[in-house]
Amino acid sequence: APDGTLAGASIVGQGAAEMAALLTLAMEHRIAPERLRALSLPHPGLLVPVARLAEAAAALRPISERQLRLRAMTRQLMFWKR
């Protein structure tokens, strides 16, 4: 979707129901890939590929000026915290 959330998914094979449940939840609640990749998932597990796809999708999204400033401020705070 234009806002970076998941617009649709197709899953076939073993474990499809488990993956479909997570992806349906993400679509219904408009969960961004950044939030999906932050999930703590058992490894190895059937949902690990979903988390990897979320990481790839998040890497493709452009970073806003606000996010860049927030990251810079966080780095500065972490530097002074040492």
Side-chain angles (χ1 to χ4, degrees):
D3 63 353
T5 58
L6 189 60
S10 297
I11 305 165
V12 177
Q14 186 177 5
E18 187 177 343
M19 288 185 199
L22 176 65
L23 295 172
T24 300
L25 180 73
M27 287 187 287
E28 286 180 357
H29 293 280
R30 305 185 66 76
I31 298 173
E34 292 84 15
R35 294 192 54 206
L36 278 180
R37 74 176 180 187
L39 291 175
S40 295
L41 300 172
H43 187 78
L46 297 175
L47 295 178
V48 172
V50 174
R52 288 191 181 142
L53 286 172
E55 286 177 16
L60 294 174
R61 288 187 70 190
I63 299 173
S64 70
E65 184 65 33
R66 180 175 180 253
Q67 288 173 320
L68 287 173
R69 282 185 272 147
L70 256 164
R71 286 182 184 178
M73 289 182 354
T74 303
R75 281 194 302 272
Q76 288 177 346
L77 289 172
M78 294 307 287
F79 173 78
W80 291 108
K81 194 176 183 180
R82 294 183 200 174

